[in-house]
Amino acid sequence: MVHSFHSRALRLALVGASCLTGLAAAPAFAQQTAPAATSSDTVEEVVVTGFRKSLADATNAKRESITFQDSVFAEDIGKFPDLNIAESLNRIPGIQLTREINGDGLNIAVRGLGTNFTKILLNGSQIAVASSGRTDAQNQNREVDLNLFPTELFTRLDVAKTPTASQVEGGVAGVVNMRNARPLDRPGRHFTYSTQASYQESAGKWSPRGAILASDSWDTSHGEFGLLLGYAGVRTKSRTDGFETIGWTNANLTYAQCGTTPTGTATPTSADPTCNSAIGGNGFKFADTVPANAGNGLIAGTPVTKAYLEGLNPGTTAQQLGDGLLPRLGRQSYSEGKRNRDSLLISGEWRPNDDLAFYIDLLGGKTHNNFNRLDMDWIVRNSSGMIPLNVKVDSNNVVTKGTFANSQFFLEARPYDEKTEFYNINPGGSWQINPWLLLDGQFNLSRSVFFREAPTILVNSPNGLTVDFDNTGGDMPLIKTAANLNDPNLGWTFAGGRLNIQNEKRVTSNKGTHWNLKIGESSENYIKVGVAYDDISRSIQALDNSAAWQTFTCGGGLVNNAVPTPTPACNGQAGSAITQAQLASYLRPGPLGFITVDYDSFKKASQFDRFNDTAPAVATAATAAASGFIEEETTGAYIEGNAVTQILERDLAFNFGGRYVSTDQTIRGPQTVNGVTTLLERQTRYDAFLPAFNAVYKVRDNINLRMAASRTITRANPSAMLPGTTFSDPSAQSANQGNPALNPYTSNNFDMGGEWYTGGAGYFGVALFQKVINGFTVQGTNTIPFSQLGVAYANLTQQQQAAIDLRGGPNVATVTVSQQVNAGGTLTIRGYELNWVQPLDFLIPGTGFTANYTRINQSANGSGAPAVAVGVSPYTYNITGYYEGHGATVRLSYNYNDAQISSDPNQNSVPVARLKTDAYKQVDLSASYQLPWKYAPQITFNAINITKEKQRQTFQYDNAAFTLYDPGATYLIGIRGQF
């Protein structure tokens, strides 16, 4: 009932706001001009430089904006106040940051929604980057990794939290626009440089980074020309140690171990479903009888019954042992290598006269990440031979302590090589046709390519090891064994191991053009119309040659250059390129107390390059990203009015309008049935009308009140729309299929707030917001004729064809299709933001602080809506104190993100289990000193993550660590100058 009231209220607000605005606009447009603004309507002029200037610019931009918008400005060209664009955005209220495991900022989320709900623009145009997100992520939605874009080449970032009709659609949460440097931002000849040495404590090595920007401008008889060239490069040596689990699970007890009587055809060693139904999971078994090599005084051949288990584990019942959660693959992790980035900016401007202006920007970049991932895994998942001793379980069924006889480990060695390339060309211009007509437009063309080469070498330790498990304190459990896991001659074996070649290629491209016509001589009262065209595509191609490489290397060799049927096991048998007897010679002691692989010699002996270069395309990548292609061709048009009128002798400025967009989608994906792969293509189309209203009322010269109402969209997850079909039964009666017809998410938004400007860069602001979002999906079913399924009858198995014929043939037989469908439920997000920027010159000249706080509440209503939007902290805050004076600048920043829910429930088949992320806080320091002579450089110093905070996730319970990464602190020292 409350939800329906709010929905009606929001719809009425949208309609009423538009009507009232139209009525108010009439006298405003009739008079064409508003009373001149007084000098108090702008921030008082204070001559400041450096960080204080960037704050003053941001305050002015907020004060003059008619929307709810926050901005971050560079102090000067090449002098952005942060080392990472995502980190810079993180200082804005309502922004939450996703970090790479080494601590670098990567993606942003705005106001309580995931990263895919934020639209990223470059100079006002849409972009896409073909990278895959955080380590072990499978970003295949609409996220943009921001680590490709160096701060040194940008001068301004804007976060629009409420839209206008003229703004590019696609961001339910908000729209971020990154504006690169241009030569006429600062006419004349200029050269800016910076170089730094970075030291990451965990790597123990120094890494260089640097940037140069050169610009010049010329006044000629043909107008003013400007050219800017910029380069930024980073060579980072990185290391991150951690702990991973791949989830937690519990044992699947047998009838004998539960102390119950088998039913039907079951035997005492069969799993007892009634005994194992409470917790779920059931991802491993204890041994049925004591193995010969169990040690610990255990007698081989003894049946493992309920009485036996309880005797070995005093104070713990067999049921508790069965319910006790253990890490599926508890493991130390090690990630070390190089993360390099190069970026180039070329920007030209030409202003033939006061009425014409043209520009062209070319931004290119590439990254190359080459690193070694190692982990030593205690094998619990799918194991069937361990014997528990002295195990203790807490009230949440998490195992806190115990010894596990007859355990085993495996080494997983993964040398990653990732390359990303990106370019964007963006020409545009403006023409003041006459005093009341201004035309501006731009074109954009971009392309990005990502390729990951990620082989896996997995070998097992011998059986019969004893593990001591201690989960009684600390951020992660301790898993210890007396065996020397750093000894290549311990007895490592291919048996039960595997080799994988699982590569991934992604390509994104975008081309578009946007045109706007401003009608009206006044800068306050005018109409704006425009059209837009964007064609964006994204493809993911998974490449896998695991079977051939594994068979050649450890499976006895290929037969006639092909994999035999059935595929032989990896055991180092005769005929293998690397036999079991040779395996130890390819292993080496590792950097974290367990072995590693001599990659060069292993790859050479196994002819890795041959198999890697010929890897065929498959349906799914190692990250679970699905192969496929999606293209979205969107045309749009809008009309927008802007006006200023007066109420009670105070200015009321407002913006209102609507945007109409039509999107044609082409979606292709592979479909494999009975070993035959075909490419399916589906085409869909949808339209949307997106009204927007924004108003600012100047209650006093230094107080603004704001209100906004709008509708926004974010297009559906491309991965859920890929049209491939798989059958879930041998008679082709049930199938799973993607749904190309999914509708986009839509959100009805209402915002209100205001600011009190205290002088200079200072202000205190409040913003209240509500979003009511629909378009979420659930698993639905639909019964259709087989002929509409898109699967060729000839490609079915004989059994499936016979079943179809028995049901009347392909044109009559029906199939029940399960797929994601749009649900009717809504997610309502309500929250508020507080922002305070305060110079303290009246106390100590040059000092001040900035602080902001964001609070978010979420509620779901109806089928399909998530109880919460995952990956969102209920509250966040940032505090920065600064001093500038006598050539010195010092900034100390503290950022806090509260704990958050990071997944849906039922993780690893444990019904209640969600992944959760611990609260994260980070303290950073930035300092510089300007040497006191002409053209002298600044000496710079930065300290990142001073308190060495760790990134930690848990599996439902605080003492069930899911992942833990320790990037440590990073320090940078360098110089920066200009002339």
Side-chain angles (χ1 to χ4, degrees):
M1 192 68 170
V2 172
H3 165 73
S4 61
F5 169 77
H6 284 296
S7 298
R8 289 196 300 271
L10 186 57
R11 287 195 293 269
L12 289 171
L14 286 167
V15 175
S18 298
C19 295
L20 289 172
T21 304
L23 293 172
F29 280 112
Q31 65 188 30
Q32 286 299 306
T33 58
T38 65
S39 60
S40 62
D41 285 338
T42 58
V43 174
E44 62 187 78
E45 183 178 356
V46 179
V47 179
V48 293
T49 59
F51 181 66
R52 289 185 295 162
K53 181 179 184 300
S54 70
L55 289 179
D57 289 343
T59 297
N60 272 314
K62 187 174 188 70
R63 190 171 192 174
E64 297 304 318
S65 175
I66 200 167
T67 65
F68 284 78
Q69 176 174 301
D70 291 287
S71 303
V72 182
F73 285 77
E75 303 173 18
D76 208 339
I77 291 179
K79 294 170 61 179
F80 222 90
D82 293 281
L83 299 174
N84 180 293
I85 277 186
E87 298 281 357
S88 294
L89 292 168
N90 195 38
R91 296 191 286 113
I92 289 176
I95 299 291
Q96 295 184 34
L97 188 62
T98 298
R99 296 182 182 275
E100 180 55 284
I101 65 171
N102 69 345
D104 289 348
L106 193 60
N107 308 116
I108 63 164
V110 180
R111 285 187 167 182
L113 287 167
T115 54
N116 57 298
F117 288 93
T118 300
K119 191 73 171 180
I120 306 293
L121 308 179
L122 176 60
N123 300 322
S125 296
Q126 300 190 58
I127 58 168
V129 177
S131 51
S132 63
R134 190 174 187 263
T135 298
D136 285 338
Q138 58 179 61
N139 284 10
Q140 49 185 323
N141 205 328
R142 302 179 185 275
E143 302 88 348
V144 173
D145 292 346
L146 295 173
N147 60 339
L148 186 66
F149 302 101
T151 57
E152 295 91 340
L153 304 184
F154 291 83
T155 59
R156 177 173 177 172
L157 306 173
D158 293 309
V159 179
K161 299 173 182 177
T162 62
T164 61
S166 57
Q167 187 179 79
V168 174
E169 80 289 342
V172 161
V175 176
V176 176
N177 185 42
M178 306 183 295
R179 200 316 200 137
N180 63 245
R182 288 181 178 150
L184 298 185
D185 292 342
R186 190 174 57 157
R189 180 173 297 173
H190 302 280
F191 182 81
T192 301
Y193 63 91
S194 67
T195 181
Q196 290 180 303
S198 169
Y199 182 82
Q200 186 193 28
E201 279 190 333
S202 57
K205 298 177 181 178
W206 289 93
S207 305
R209 62 182 293 148
I212 56 173
L213 289 96
S215 65
D216 204 349
S217 62
W218 304 269
D219 281 315
T220 72
S221 59
H222 299 289
E224 186 177 16
F225 291 86
L227 179 65
L228 180 145
L229 303 175
Y231 166 81
V234 178
R235 298 291 182 270
T236 301
K237 302 177 184 71
S238 175
R239 171 176 170 173
T240 303
D241 297 345
F243 175 77
E244 300 169 343
T245 63
I246 319 298
W248 290 58
T249 191
N250 63 303
N252 198 3
L253 297 186
T254 66
Y255 285 97
Q257 292 161 357
C258 288
T260 54
T261 302
T263 59
T265 59
T267 68
T269 57
S270 300
D272 181 356
T274 61
C275 185
N276 296 295
S277 61
I279 300 302
N282 308 132
F284 70 98
K285 285 183 60 179
F286 292 126
D288 295 326
T289 58
V290 176
N293 55 353
N296 296 281
L298 302 175
I299 300 173
T302 303
V304 179
T305 63
K306 177 182 179 182
Y308 188 73
L309 286 174
E310 292 180 347
L312 295 176
N313 298 272
T316 302
T317 66
Q319 186 67 57
Q320 288 176 311
L321 290 172
D323 291 342
L325 293 167
L326 285 169
R328 298 173 73 228
L329 293 173
R331 64 197 195 189
Q332 287 179 281
S333 69
Y334 170 89
S335 177
E336 185 274 335
K338 298 178 180 179
R339 297 175 182 268
N340 299 334
R341 186 196 70 219
D342 295 281
S343 301
L344 177 68
L345 171 65
I346 303 174
S347 179
E349 289 187 276
W350 176 37
R351 296 176 182 172
N353 52 52
D354 291 340
D355 296 329
L356 284 172
F358 301 97
Y359 64 84
I360 183 169
D361 301 313
L362 171 61
L363 179 65
K366 63 178 182 179
T367 64
H368 185 190
N369 299 333
N370 189 300
F371 54 100
N372 180 21
R373 291 193 67 192
L374 298 171
D375 47 76
M376 181 57 67
D377 301 58
W378 176 36
I379 306 174
V380 173
R381 180 187 68 184
N382 299 328
S383 66
S384 60
M386 292 192 304
I387 305 290
L389 306 167
N390 299 310
V391 169
K392 301 298 179 185
V393 180
D394 68 13
S395 59
N396 292 321
N397 297 305
V398 176
V399 175
T400 58
K401 199 172 183 65
T403 298
F404 294 86
N406 197 42
S407 287
Q408 190 177 21
F409 290 82
F410 68 68
L411 167 75
E412 188 173 29
R414 293 172 285 177
Y416 275 52
D417 191 88
E418 298 178 342
K419 295 178 181 178
T420 305
E421 296 180 353
F422 170 86
Y423 75 82
N424 184 81
I425 302 173
N426 178 211
S430 63
W431 176 26
Q432 186 74 58
I433 302 171
N434 58 44
W436 52 277
L437 285 179
L438 172 64
L439 177 68
D440 69 83
Q442 65 174 351
F443 296 89
N444 64 283
L445 176 67
S446 68
R447 178 178 169 85
S448 179
V449 179
F450 167 83
F451 185 79
R452 175 194 285 135
E453 178 185 289
T456 298
I457 302 169
L458 191 153
V459 295
N460 286 291
S461 76
N463 265 314
L465 306 185
T466 297
V467 164
D468 291 317
F469 180 81
D470 188 348
N471 191 26
T472 56
D475 293 327
M476 65 181 189
L478 300 178
I479 301 170
K480 296 182 178 180
T481 179
N484 183 4
L485 299 177
N486 209 20
D487 181 4
N489 295 304
L490 177 65
W492 300 95
T493 176
F494 273 128
R498 57 180 167 83
L499 302 180
N500 295 107
I501 291 177
Q502 294 174 313
N503 301 333
E504 188 173 334
K505 182 178 181 180
R506 300 184 178 208
V507 179
T508 62
S509 63
N510 177 38
K511 57 186 177 184
T513 183
H514 300 179
W515 292 88
N516 309 290
L517 180 65
K518 175 178 173 284
I519 306 169
E521 188 172 355
S522 169
S523 62
E524 296 177 334
N525 301 296
Y526 60 90
I527 293 175
K528 196 174 179 182
V529 296
V531 293
Y533 170 81
D534 284 289
D535 186 347
I536 298 179
S537 65
R538 186 218 68 181
S539 67
I540 296 178
Q541 185 180 42
L543 304 166
D544 194 317
N545 211 10
S546 299
W549 188 43
Q550 175 176 295
T551 301
F552 177 82
T553 305
C554 59
L558 301 175
V559 176
N560 297 323
N561 208 34
V563 178
T565 302
T567 303
C570 175
N571 55 19
Q573 60 187 283
S576 300
I578 300 175
T579 65
Q580 175 59 43
Q582 297 169 326
L583 175 60
S585 67
Y586 293 91
L587 305 179
R588 301 287 183 271
L592 206 62
F594 56 85
I595 59 166
T596 185
V597 176
D598 183 341
Y599 293 123
D600 290 339
S601 62
F602 193 97
K603 287 183 175 180
K604 182 178 179 180
S606 64
Q607 298 186 23
F608 170 79
D609 289 340
R610 165 192 166 190
F611 294 100
N612 189 58
D613 293 344
T614 57
V618 295
T620 306
T623 59
S627 292
F629 170 87
I630 180 169
E631 180 181 20
E632 294 172 332
E633 190 174 5
T634 300
T635 55
Y638 74 87
I639 182 169
E640 178 182 289
N642 292 268
V644 176
T645 188
Q646 286 207 325
I647 296 177
L648 301 178
E649 299 183 345
R650 290 290 177 181
D651 283 351
L652 171 65
F654 48 87
N655 164 287
F656 62 99
R659 185 180 188 90
Y660 174 80
V661 293
S662 179
T663 300
D664 291 299
Q665 288 183 324
T666 300
I667 304 170
R668 291 194 294 270
Q671 172 177 271
T672 301
V673 177
N674 193 25
V676 178
T677 299
T678 56
L679 194 64
L680 299 183
E681 179 175 307
R682 298 288 185 268
Q683 293 183 336
T684 61
R685 180 175 182 172
Y686 58 84
D687 305 322
F689 177 70
L690 307 172
F693 171 80
N694 295 272
V696 180
Y697 182 54
K698 298 191 175 184
V699 180
R700 298 182 61 183
D701 292 343
N702 62 343
I703 297 178
N704 287 351
L705 294 182
R706 300 180 182 274
M707 191 273 278
S710 63
R711 179 174 296 123
T712 50
I713 66 169
T714 287
R715 293 175 174 89
N717 184 345
S719 301
M721 296 189 286
L722 296 176
T725 302
T726 58
F727 290 105
S728 53
D729 71 326
S731 60
Q733 197 161 4
S734 299
N736 296 303
Q737 194 174 65
N739 186 0
L742 288 177
N743 294 322
Y745 299 92
T746 62
S747 177
N748 291 328
N749 316 301
F750 184 77
D751 300 73
M752 61 188 302
E755 305 93 39
W756 170 34
Y757 295 90
T758 58
Y763 76 93
F764 181 79
V766 179
L768 310 176
F769 57 89
Q770 173 179 285
K771 296 179 180 294
V772 181
I773 307 155
N774 60 45
F776 295 98
T777 60
V778 295
Q779 192 75 8
T781 59
N782 187 27
T783 300
I784 61 174
F786 174 84
S787 58
Q788 297 179 15
L789 194 61
V791 175
Y793 174 81
N795 291 342
L796 298 177
T797 66
Q798 290 185 351
Q799 183 179 0
Q800 289 171 334
Q801 290 178 349
I804 291 290
D805 291 339
L806 285 173
R807 301 202 304 271
N811 294 322
V812 177
T814 59
V815 179
T816 300
V817 178
S818 296
Q819 60 184 181
Q820 291 290 306
V821 297
N822 290 109
T826 60
L827 176 69
T828 298
I829 296 177
R830 297 187 180 92
Y832 61 88
E833 298 168 351
L834 305 176
N835 200 20
W836 191 4
V837 179
Q838 187 59 59
L840 298 174
D841 297 286
F842 59 91
L843 294 176
I844 302 175
T847 63
F849 68 86
T850 70
N852 61 68
Y853 176 89
T854 303
R855 181 73 186 189
I856 293 170
N857 292 295
Q858 306 176 60
S859 60
N861 182 45
S863 171
V868 294
V870 299
V872 177
S873 298
Y875 67 91
T876 63
Y877 59 87
N878 297 273
I879 302 172
T880 298
Y882 65 86
Y883 168 77
E884 281 191 336
H886 305 287
T889 299
V890 179
R891 288 186 291 119
L892 185 66
S893 299
Y894 178 84
N895 169 257
Y896 178 86
N897 286 351
D898 193 31
Q900 59 183 240
I901 293 172
S902 303
S903 79
D904 293 327
N906 202 35
Q907 294 295 306
N908 300 133
S909 300
V910 178
V912 300
R914 292 178 180 267
L915 301 184
K916 300 180 180 181
T917 300
D918 284 3
Y920 184 82
K921 50 189 177 293
Q922 182 164 312
V923 179
D924 301 327
L925 173 71
S926 176
S928 65
Y929 179 72
Q930 178 67 58
L931 296 174
W933 60 81
K934 189 175 182 180
Y935 301 132
Q938 285 183 336
I939 299 173
T940 63
F941 175 75
N942 296 79
I944 300 171
N945 193 21
I946 296 172
T947 55
K948 304 177 184 179
E949 300 298 325
K950 302 172 183 177
Q951 303 173 34
R952 182 174 183 264
Q953 286 188 310
T954 59
F955 185 88
Q956 183 62 30
Y957 306 110
D958 186 61
N959 64 338
F962 180 71
T963 57
L964 176 73
Y965 298 110
D966 185 8
T970 299
Y971 305 98
L972 302 97
I973 188 168
I975 59 173
R976 180 172 61 202
Q978 60 181 343
F979 50 84

